[in-house]
Amino acid sequence: MTDRAARQWFDLAFASSPSGMLLLDARGCIQLANDAAARMFGWQPHELSACDVDVLVAPDSRRKLHKLQERFARDGRRRLPRADVELLGQHRAGGEFKIAVGVAIVDGDDGPNVLVSVTNLSRRQRTEARMRSQNDALRDAVTRRTAELEATNTRLLAQIEERRRTERELIAAQKRLQEMNEELRRLALIDDLTGLANRRRFDARFMVEHQRAARSKSALSVVLLDLDHFKPFNDHLGHPAGDACLRRVAAAVAGCLRRPADLVARWGGEEFAAVLPETPSEGATQIARAMRQAVRALAIPHPTAKSGVVTISVGVASLGVTESPSPHALLEAADRALYTAKSRGRDRVCVAVPSKARAAAAEEKGAGQ
C-alpha cells in the first residue's frame, strides 16, 4: 500500500469510526477529532483543533492523564499501556462521565503522534445492565419452563420435544435480532425509497473527500439535481406514481457514475446529489449531461410539463469556483447553479463559474438541447 493510499485509508477510518478518535501531538494538543469524539464531549470537531486535551478530562483525572503523557514523552512506544486507561471525561456543558482511553503511536510529518480512542463507559455500563436484566428475565423464563416440564415427568418424550422447541425459538430470536441490527445499520446509511446513499452518508463522504482534495490539491466536483415540476406530477398521478418515478430516476442517475469513488445520494424529497472526487469541472459537466439525458431517455410521462416527460435541472460546482475553501461554499455554489438552471427554463445543466461578482452560474452551452 502506498503512503497516499495508507493516508486515505487512515483518514476515512478515523472520520467514520463509531468510537471517539483523537489525534494528538507529543505535547497533548489535539490535531484532529472525529464526529463521534466531538459529540461525546459536546463540541464541534473544528472547535477541538489546537485545543489541549485537558479540556476533555475532568479535573480529578488530569493528574492521571499527565502521568500518562509524561510516560509517553519519556518512553514512547516501549511503555504504552497494555489495556485501556479509565478516566473521568468532562462534557462541554460541565457534566462528568467515565471514559476508557486507548493509546497508539502513529508516525506523522513532524514526528510521532498519539492516536487516542475514547469509549463512553457510562453508556456501555447502561447497556451491560440492560443486557444483564434481559438475561435474568430469560433465565427466569427458562427456569419456570423447566420446572413445568419436570412436573410432568410421565411425559418424558413431550418434555424433550418442548426443550428442543424452546431452543429453536431462542436461535430464531437471535437470528431475528441479528437481522434487525444489520437492517438498522443499513438504514442509517441508505435511503429506503431509492436504495441510494442517504443525506447522512453523503455529508460524511463529502467532508472526507473535501478534506482530502484540499490537502492534496486535487480536483473535486459536486452535482445537485432536482426533478422539474415534481409537485404537479404527484398531485395529478398520486404519491405511489411519484415514488415509482423517484426510483427510476435514481437508478438512471446512479447508472451514469462509473468510478467506485463517485457517490450519488438522495439529497431530500426530489433532490439528488453526487460527489465526484478527482473530477474537474469539465468531467463533472459531462456526467451531469449524461444524467440529464438518461432521465429524459426514461420518457416518464408528465401530465403538466411542456416537454410531456419528466426532466431534471442540474447544477455543477467544482473546487476553485468560490473564494472560500469551505465545503459549505462549494455546496452553495452548486445550489446556485441549480437555481439558475431552474430559473432559465429547467431541463438543463448549469455550471458554477468564478467571478468577483460571484455570479452563481453560467448556463452550459447547449445544455437545454
Side-chain angles (χ1 to χ4, degrees):
M1 181 182 292
T2 65
D3 291 345
R4 182 178 177 182
R7 181 66 186 188
Q8 292 174 357
W9 180 91
F10 173 84
D11 289 343
L12 180 59
F14 185 93
S16 59
S17 173
S19 299
M21 301 297 294
L22 302 169
L23 187 65
L24 315 179
D25 61 18
R27 300 185 306 275
C29 184
I30 301 173
Q31 295 181 319
L32 287 175
N34 70 354
D35 289 342
R39 286 195 304 270
M40 185 184 304
F41 293 98
W43 298 77
Q44 294 295 325
H46 68 274
E47 294 177 324
L48 290 175
S49 180
C51 287
D52 194 285
V53 72
D54 278 7
V55 302
L56 306 181
V57 179
D60 291 345
S61 286
R62 288 176 186 169
R63 180 180 179 85
K64 190 174 183 179
L65 174 64
H66 294 162
K67 287 184 177 180
L68 186 63
Q69 290 175 311
E70 291 171 1
R71 195 161 89 186
F72 163 72
R74 184 178 64 249
D75 301 321
R77 288 181 174 87
R78 294 182 292 109
R79 293 291 300 278
L80 287 177
R82 297 182 180 179
D84 289 353
V85 177
E86 292 191 8
L87 300 170
L88 272 179
Q90 179 168 276
H91 194 273
R92 188 177 189 177
E96 297 181 357
F97 55 96
K98 290 184 179 180
I99 58 174
V101 175
V103 181
I105 305 301
V106 294
D107 293 323
D109 296 336
D110 300 325
N113 294 324
V114 182
L115 182 63
V116 179
S117 65
V118 186
T119 302
N120 188 332
L121 292 181
S122 299
R123 181 178 298 174
R124 188 169 71 184
Q125 288 169 349
R126 289 194 297 269
T127 301
E128 291 172 351
R130 185 168 60 251
M131 290 178 64
R132 283 195 298 270
S133 176
Q134 293 172 348
N135 288 338
D136 290 343
L138 180 59
R139 276 198 304 271
D140 291 343
V142 172
T143 299
R144 287 194 301 270
R145 189 58 177 165
T146 301
E148 292 172 2
L149 293 173
E150 290 176 349
T152 57
N153 55 8
T154 59
R155 303 173 61 186
L156 181 59
L157 292 178
Q159 289 180 7
I160 294 173
E161 180 58 30
E162 183 69 14
R163 286 172 182 264
R164 288 176 178 173
R165 184 185 67 80
T166 303
E167 290 173 358
R168 288 194 297 269
E169 289 177 352
L170 288 173
I171 292 172
Q174 290 173 347
K175 184 178 180 180
R176 287 195 299 271
L177 180 60
Q178 182 178 0
E179 291 172 350
M180 290 172 61
N181 287 334
E182 291 174 356
E183 180 67 9
L184 286 173
R185 284 193 292 270
R186 187 189 71 83
L187 291 176
L189 299 175
I190 299 297
D191 175 62
D192 189 53
L193 176 64
T194 63
L196 298 181
N198 62 13
R199 177 70 176 269
R200 179 180 180 183
R201 183 180 177 190
F202 176 88
D203 289 346
R205 178 71 171 277
F206 175 65
M207 291 301 298
V208 170
E209 294 298 344
H210 190 278
Q211 292 172 359
R212 185 182 66 82
R215 185 172 55 252
S216 62
K217 306 300 181 183
S218 59
L220 177 67
S221 295
V222 173
V223 175
L224 297 183
L225 62 95
D226 185 80
L227 273 70
D228 297 325
H229 304 296
F230 189 66
K231 186 179 185 302
F233 183 96
N234 266 341
D235 292 342
H236 280 77
L237 301 180
H239 289 286
D243 290 347
C245 174
L246 287 173
R247 282 191 289 267
R248 294 184 64 187
V249 169
V253 169
C256 297
L257 303 184
R258 295 290 182 265
R259 300 185 307 172
D262 297 340
L263 177 73
V264 63
R266 187 180 180 195
W267 186 256
E270 65 271 22
E271 291 184 303
F272 297 85
V275 57
L276 308 174
E278 298 185 3
T279 304
S281 180
E282 296 81 2
T285 303
Q286 292 178 4
I287 292 173
R289 287 177 180 171
M291 289 176 173
R292 174 181 167 272
Q293 292 296 338
V295 173
R296 257 194 165 272
L298 293 174
I300 301 172
H302 194 309
T304 63
K306 292 181 179 180
S307 62
V309 296
V310 171
T311 60
I312 60 173
S313 298
V314 189
V316 180
S318 305
L319 280 182
V321 76
T322 63
E323 297 176 2
S324 170
S326 73
H328 181 69
L330 181 58
L331 287 174
E332 279 192 338
D335 190 58
R336 288 193 296 269
L338 173 59
Y339 177 81
T340 300
K342 297 181 79 68
S343 65
R344 293 185 179 179
R346 296 180 168 84
D347 187 21
R348 64 194 63 222
V349 175
C350 283
V351 183
V353 295
S355 70
K356 289 185 179 179
R358 299 193 66 187
E363 185 177 345
E364 177 198 354
K365 184 181 292 185
Q369 301 176 357

